[in-house]
Amino acid sequence: MFSRMFARTSFKHAVVEGFQPLIRHRRYATAASLNQTEVAKFAAMADSWWDLEGPFKPLHAMNPARLTFIRSTLCRHFGKDPFSARPFEGLKFVDVGCGGGILSEPLARMGASVTGIDVVEKNITIARLHADLDPVASSIEYRCTTAENLVEEQMTFDAVIALEVIEHVSAPAEFCKSLSALTASNGATVVSTVNRSMRAYASTIVAAEYILQWLPKGTHQWSSFITPEELVLTLQRASISVEEMAGFDFDPLTGQWSITDDISVQYIAFGIKNS
């Protein structure tokens, strides 16, 4: 099914006087894929995006592995040098569901022109405040909007990236259509999510939320997880051909994540927009 499987591999939070964690009901509130329950859930945690010991600690820990996959696949696709300090120079990326900017910032440091979007106003405020601490990251354009709205604006990007987002939307098929519409012809789409497997339920919900308490209870819904086969088919129907997949493996002894060919729990997919 896939052409190649990828082989194994302090800013605590922003406090703004008088700032309230509002979810402003703009035009994006009616977007087809928007799940208001999920929006409210992440708005409640927005202050913690850059707290390395907070609820987003697993994402911070996973970021190096995620970036390894992104650098490798996108450099290969766009003919860039993966050993360059700024391999994405000249490319336009959009980080869909950017949260506090923990992925947008390293992408910008690797040379990409980055637009980060999120439907939670407070996430965008936190992302902007943190980016302003770094002259390179301050070039990121953060917007409180949806992928659907960018489609209406007829915007396109060389690479569209949506990590750990699709399991939180109400209409994954519509969401993927928007990702596809934002991807330039022969551009790249990168999506990561959680497999709907019993192993994923045990590790992502039972262990991470209830036993280890890495995440607030209720962060994930097992029924919203997506199998790799479902993701490939959904993207294919949206004119995106999945070319490569990889899983993420956590080592409890080192506290680090690595790339693996095991996609039974958390996984990431790289696809190309059909011409």
Side-chain angles (χ1 to χ4, degrees):
M1 178 181 296
F2 314 119
S3 65
R4 178 175 176 269
M5 297 297 293
F6 199 82
R8 181 180 302 268
T9 125
S10 154
F11 180 86
K12 298 283 273 186
H13 62 268
V15 179
V16 185
E17 184 176 358
F19 183 82
Q20 297 297 320
L22 299 177
I23 303 169
R24 299 182 182 177
H25 297 286
R26 297 178 177 176
R27 187 162 56 95
Y28 59 71
T30 59
S33 66
L34 196 60
N35 184 323
Q36 292 289 359
T37 301
E38 295 295 303
V39 171
K41 183 188 301 180
F42 283 93
M45 298 187 289
D47 277 336
S48 302
W49 272 106
W50 290 95
D51 180 355
L52 301 184
E53 297 299 321
F56 298 108
K57 178 179 179 179
L59 290 184
H60 283 279
M62 192 185 295
N63 235 17
R66 302 195 304 180
L67 288 164
T68 295
F69 179 88
I70 291 170
R71 178 190 284 265
S72 175
T73 55
L74 297 191
C75 283
R76 187 182 314 117
H77 178 65
F78 291 111
K80 300 286 188 175
D81 179 6
F83 299 104
S84 168
R86 293 173 61 83
F88 299 143
E89 198 86 57
L91 296 175
K92 289 174 53 181
F93 289 4
V94 61
D95 181 7
V96 179
C98 65
I102 65 174
L103 181 72
S104 295
E105 289 197 13
L107 291 176
R109 294 188 191 102
M110 285 191 276
S113 174
V114 179
T115 297
I117 67 171
D118 201 285
V119 297
V120 177
E121 184 95 28
K122 194 171 185 181
N123 284 349
I124 293 299
T125 299
I126 297 296
R128 286 173 178 159
L129 286 169
H130 194 270
D132 284 344
L133 301 175
D134 182 340
V136 176
S138 64
S139 67
I140 300 168
E141 180 185 3
Y142 284 116
R143 296 180 56 184
C144 186
T145 189
T146 63
E148 288 88 344
N149 281 355
L150 294 190
V151 172
E152 290 181 11
E153 296 174 26
Q154 299 184 333
M155 297 187 70
T156 58
F157 301 86
D158 298 301
V160 176
I161 303 172
L163 305 190
E164 284 77 48
V165 177
I166 193 170
E167 68 269 24
H168 299 289
V169 304
S170 61
E174 294 302 314
F175 181 68
C176 286
K177 288 178 183 177
S178 295
L179 298 184
S180 177
L182 291 175
T183 308
S185 179
N186 201 44
T189 305
V190 180
V191 178
S192 70
T193 188
V194 186
N195 195 349
R196 195 174 63 256
S197 65
M198 292 309 299
R199 185 179 170 195
Y201 178 82
S203 61
T204 306
I205 296 178
V206 176
E209 295 184 17
Y210 288 86
I211 298 175
L212 299 174
Q213 297 183 351
W214 286 346
L215 302 170
K217 295 182 176 80
T219 298
H220 294 105
Q221 300 297 322
W222 186 78
S223 60
S224 298
F225 292 168
I226 299 171
T227 68
E229 294 79 10
E230 290 169 343
L231 181 62
V232 169
L233 183 58
T234 302
L235 288 172
Q236 186 176 35
R237 288 172 174 168
S239 300
I240 297 173
S241 299
V242 173
E243 300 293 323
E244 196 163 320
M245 272 194 171
F248 296 111
D249 181 60
F250 179 71
D251 185 342
L253 297 179
T254 64
Q256 295 181 338
W257 293 82
S258 60
I259 295 292
T260 175
D261 57 4
D262 181 359
I263 57 175
S264 64
V265 182
Q266 288 167 299
Y267 65 97
I268 189 168
F270 157 74
I272 299 173
K273 170 73 172 290
N274 299 332
S275 301

